Amino acid sequence: MTLTTEPRRPAVPSRSAPRPAPSGPPPLAPGAVPGLGHAPALLRDPLGFLNSLARHGGVVRIRLGPRTVCVVTDAHLVHTLLVALAHDCPRGAVQDTLRTAFGDGLLMSEGQTHRDRRRIVQPAFGQDRMADYLAVMHRVAEERAASWRPGQVLDVAKEMNHLALDLVTRTLFDARLSEEAALAFHRALPDLVKGQIVQSLYPHPALARLPLPVNRRFDAAVRVLNQVVDRAVNGPARLNGSGGAGRTGGAGDSGNTGGCPFGGRPDRTLPGLLRAATDPATGRPLTEADVRSEAITMFGAGTETVSTTLTWLIDELLRHPRVEARVLAELDEHLPAGTVPTPEALARLTYTRSVTQEVVRLHAPNAFLMRTARVPVELGPYRIPAGTELLYSLTAVHRDPLLHPEPLRFHPGRWRSDGAAAGGGAAGGGGRQAFLPFGAGKHKCIGEAFARAELTVAAAAILRRWRPTAVAGARAREVVWTTVQAQGLRIRLAPRADRPPQGAPAPRSEAGPARRDAPGTHDTPGTDRTAPRAAPPAVAARGARTATVPRPAGPATPATGPSPRAAVRRSPGELRTAATRHDDWMIGHGLLTPADLPRYHANTLPELIGHAYPRARGAELDLLVDVLGWFTLLDDRFDGPPGRRPAEARSLIEPLLAVPAGGRDRAAAPDDPPLLRSWRELWQRQCATMSPAWRERSAVEWRACLATFLAESQHRAARTAPDLPETMRLRRHASCLYPFMNILERVQGAEAPARMHADPELHTLRAHTADVATLINDLCSLEREERQPAPAFNTVITLQRVHGCTRPAGIRAVRARIARLRDESTALRHRLRLRYPAANWYLDGTRELVDGVRVWAGTSHRYRPRDR
């Protein structure tokens, strides 16, 4: 609950050492684009860009179009800005855009108005009310958790949004919203947040009044938010004057079911408290507009941030099963099942509090906020002129390695039992100033205790009843606007009755076994914060040309442990729609006939894409399925004559090679062969919206992939076979993994930093990704490829031929190679995360590609020998 408010505090006392005289304006960050400044970098990779500014100083100037903004990167200076300079630096442009939605209530007011309003609202969050609130929170969370069923797959972000909205609505308003109203509220929030950030970047406020699509969506979201809040504000107390136990549902409500925590006293609800109060400035009761402003503040600020934090909490517990086991043990000891929580019981949950504290640190919900210098101010050694906009990111502060060692490591042990930094916590004297999840100064969150209680009570209700398992390839990812949202996490529910013994947690992901903790700790070591995922890339490809059903023994089982269960699809309807559209595309381009479809469908290629790219939607989903289908048909073509006749191979491949080399401007010609005509279209679709650097990189890697067909045809025609290094090189590029790693960026709608693409360790990780997927394919396709008359480019077969080893020894060697490459990849990802924290999505995608090949190989019929 990020209601940013707090009492006025005295200015931070000056340090004993003399302060240096201000040295002038802060340094200007490099990399500004003419006319646009740093806006493209900020929009493309907000957290990565903001994290990068700290190396240039504690305050750094950036340009957003014609405006200059100062970014405060030093934690002590952020604290100074929020506390000592709070009066001189009121809220800035990002928050001002929300006045349309939130009015002039607690969230938006300043000065005496803010102090008066805070005194009115503060009793709603007093300790005397917390016991009542906890009883309602417990009831709401238990009801929600009880409504789920075993085996159900949950979209966690969506479910936590509903839960957080229920908690606020029923606890503070003693009201219920219909499912329709709740869905409307959640659909409106993204447009509200996106409109907020876009409008804050306008060079003139008048642009917000233009009928632009983003402005229209923002205005529509404001209307929806107001309608939903009106239904809650005009709840039991207004509709029948009784506080509700016998109330019937009003418009948009499902009725109150006796859940009022206040014994039928409407003055104890938030709207009742506000209507009973008087405005200190006028001595008159608050207007209905004032009541609505405060109510909408509680809804807007108290739902999204809590639901996002709950989603991250579940995601981190999935990645760290020993942490979850310890939390459950503490709940069993101090808050037995069925017990209504009390403030005293929550105070005894010291380890659970450390866990939630670490989630809030690592996943601070506010990506950035702004203030405006009303008068000239000094920040550290810098002189800031009046009118300057000041931006700060709590997420960046919380991930500063100087303040929080190993900042991307989830490590509850860095907090002492009292919630303060300890051990690996805030180093370098950061203390409380290095940890500001609820803000600081006069606008600190007034609902901090309420929000912490929500997190604990909701987590207890969920974890006691259910043992969630991560759906393969569907883990949480960061989506950044003004808040850092968690999207993509999907879990499968199993009853908690089968809880494993503490200290021996069962595997928690359908993608494979959970990582083991370091000996003697309860937290996963800082080697890699992300657990294995299952998300195959659309590319099992060349070794995949022989794909299919897993066998209980023999080489078809990948090398890194027991075969996982078949991964669960995302939205079956969405994937089916894409598959049907893909069939039409293939037939329309002359690549297939209707009679070919049954055999083609046995490859289950859309399912492979569904596992590999769980966040792909719309045009990106269609593109991925079409590219994979096209490549699969090309690959199958080389099982026939072109695979043995180099001249025929050249006539087929060389026109395809020319398409990336010639850019994306040449359209498909009507007389092109189907493979070439469809390839021209696919190349244009891939390149749409991508940068020239991306197109150049992708062209090089597609050409390397396609050229392998020529090399393989030469070897088959000469009845020769390459040695092991040449086999690995050919297989690495023939697998098509490199191009599909590039399409990760298209799906994300952003490109990984150029510095990361130039990093040798990323080159190694990409090679490992391709090699592991290829070797898994070699194991799965071995039986089929052994039956081919021509030499097969299979690593196991090459080991037998070159080294004279037996078939089982070759299989063991490949499995050992897979295990070693996966371990090295984990270490590489960890180091790359520390250098490029905003590109986690790309690093996670490389894991999804590998694990996805493994999952898909166990369900597709592609590897089945032809004579079966």
Side-chain angles (χ1 to χ4, degrees), residues 198-199 202 204-220 223:
V198 172
Q199 292 185 9
Y202 286 155
H204 193 282
L207 293 175
R209 296 192 291 273
L210 295 179
L212 301 174
V214 67
N215 293 340
R216 291 199 303 269
R217 289 193 293 268
F218 178 80
D219 293 340
R223 288 193 295 272

Side-chain angles (χ1 to χ4, degrees), residues 224-243:
V224 169
L225 193 58
N226 278 294
Q227 291 166 3
V228 172
V229 171
D230 282 342
R231 293 174 183 177
V233 170
N234 297 318
R238 295 289 285 176
L239 293 180
N240 63 17
S242 68

Side-chain angles (χ1 to χ4, degrees), residues 121-194:
V121 176
Q122 182 64 61
F125 297 96
Q127 283 298 316
D128 61 319
R129 299 194 177 213
M130 191 53 67
D132 290 335
Y133 287 161
L134 287 172
V136 181
M137 290 177 189
H138 173 71
R139 185 180 308 118
V140 171
E142 290 290 341
E143 287 175 4
R144 194 79 193 183
S147 70
W148 304 333
R149 63 186 185 276
Q152 182 178 354
V153 175
L154 295 184
D155 180 327
V156 178
K158 179 179 177 181
E159 199 65 27
M160 294 306 102
N161 277 335
H162 280 281
L163 176 55
L165 184 60
D166 282 347
L167 288 168
V168 169
T169 306
R170 291 175 61 182
T171 305
L172 294 180
F173 295 87
D174 184 26
R176 286 178 183 262
L177 293 176
S178 67
E179 187 73 9
E180 178 184 2
L183 288 172
F185 178 86
H186 296 309
R187 283 195 296 263
L189 277 181
D191 288 333
L192 187 75
V193 174
K194 292 174 186 177

Side-chain angles (χ1 to χ4, degrees), residues 97-98 188-198 218 221 304 480-483 485:
T97 62
L98 290 181
L189 277 181
D191 288 333
L192 187 75
V193 174
K194 292 174 186 177
Q196 175 193 13
I197 188 170
V198 172
F218 178 80
E304 184 190 20
V480 182
W481 289 95
T482 51
T483 57
Q485 301 170 18

Side-chain angles (χ1 to χ4, degrees), residues 424-441:
R432 293 182 179 179
Q433 297 181 19
F435 183 64
L436 305 167
F438 296 94

